[in-house]
Amino acid sequence: MTAALYAEDEGEGECALVLLHGFAGSHRIWERVRRALPTGLRILAYDLPGHGRSIDCAGAGKAKATAQAIVDDLETRRIGRCHMAGHSFGGAIAVLSAHLAPRTVASLALLAPGGFGREIAGDLMMARAQASTDAEIASAMQDMFGAHSPISPETVAEAIALNAVAGQREKLIEISGVIVRDGEQGAFPAGMLEELMMPVHLVWGTLDAVLPPRQAAHAPSSFTLHHLEGAGHMLPEERPEAVARIIARSIGAV
């Protein structure tokens, strides 16, 4: 029997906001973003396969399988329309989910998403995966933040709590090897992004050390591009208020 995909499901409304974290994250990375969002939204914040409460779900680190799991779960919850916001690997999942269910996904907010180019700092991901002590976890996290974005104690505590899940460190090492192969990540085929018909907001930190900001140049001209000056890769945690404003704009809440 396949383990169930976990989502923190709060609020009400026919059209939900779906939040998808990146590698070595969980639904908890969105806490400060959620506090800055307009009230009255139904929000589903997932733990992706291989992470947190979804650690035993099949498909960990596999983008297409994860996107299908999200689409299937939304159907099970009878959510016929939603907006999606995805960070890093979660951004790639959001794109694939929109392709799988274009009538379901009303808009996309992509935060330093995977799949926009092959270049990726696999060494930083592996350092995070292999981190075992509190100090190693904090150091690996800081390397993913911008140089001018000190990591908060709250963020460190959440990362340490994630690593405390039985088997999580080993699973992260496995996932990092799935996402990064021969020093590269998978990239969307030419024209795939052009096929997205819903509004798309693309957000990148100018000091992203994991996925180069220049990968935004591969985006279609129809995308609305946002550069967050001085921000690194971990945008939901580094710039939660700015991310919340962009998400709200993408769903037409402001």
Side-chain angles (χ1 to χ4, degrees):
M1 181 176 179
T2 302
L5 189 66
Y6 175 80
E8 187 170 271
D9 187 351
E10 293 185 347
E12 299 179 355
E14 294 182 0
C15 190
L17 170 61
V18 173
L19 301 176
L20 306 173
H21 66 77
F23 171 75
S26 76
H27 69 281
R28 294 188 58 83
I29 73 158
W30 301 102
E31 288 299 319
R32 287 186 292 164
V33 173
R34 292 170 64 171
R35 290 198 292 267
L37 285 168
T39 58
L41 296 172
R42 181 180 181 183
I43 299 177
L44 280 81
Y46 282 90
D47 280 0
L48 297 182
H51 295 79
R53 298 185 188 184
S54 299
I55 190 170
D56 293 325
C57 286
K62 298 178 180 178
K64 291 181 180 178
T66 299
Q68 187 65 62
I70 295 295
V71 169
D72 291 347
D73 187 73
L74 292 173
E75 184 176 354
T76 298
R77 295 173 188 269
R78 297 183 178 179
I79 295 174
R81 195 73 168 153
C82 71
H83 304 275
M84 283 191 176
H87 170 242
S88 196
F89 181 67
I93 301 309
V95 170
L96 293 171
S97 298
H99 272 275
L100 288 170
R103 295 184 180 180
T104 298
V105 181
S107 72
L108 293 171
L110 308 176
L111 316 174
F116 277 62
R118 294 200 174 276
E119 188 176 352
I120 187 171
D123 56 335
L124 296 184
M125 291 179 59
M126 184 56 74
R128 171 65 187 91
Q130 293 178 336
S132 57
T133 68
D134 292 1
E136 287 173 348
I137 293 169
S139 177
M141 288 290 293
Q142 183 62 69
D143 287 343
M144 293 184 173
F145 276 59
H148 302 296
S149 300
I151 190 168
S152 71
E154 178 184 6
T155 297
V156 174
E158 289 170 1
I160 291 171
L162 180 70
N163 265 53
V165 174
Q168 185 65 83
R169 179 174 178 271
E170 293 75 16
K171 183 61 71 171
L172 291 180
I173 292 172
E174 174 190 329
I175 292 171
S176 66
V178 174
I179 295 176
V180 183
R181 296 185 179 183
D182 298 323
E184 295 182 333
Q185 67 168 337
F188 294 120
M192 187 174 182
L193 297 173
E194 296 280 359
E195 295 174 4
L196 296 172
M197 293 295 100
M198 66 288 294
V200 181
H201 286 253
L202 179 61
V203 191
W204 231 294
T206 61
L207 298 181
D208 193 325
V210 179
L211 296 174
R214 61 180 173 273
Q215 290 183 355
H218 297 291
S221 59
S222 60
F223 287 18
T224 301
L225 181 59
H226 308 262
H227 290 293
L228 297 186
E229 192 67 35
H233 185 65
M234 309 302 285
L235 299 179
E237 294 144 311
E238 291 183 60
R239 301 290 176 85
E241 293 82 9
V243 167
R245 285 193 299 271
I246 293 167
I247 292 175
R249 180 178 169 188
S250 75
I251 65 178
V254 293

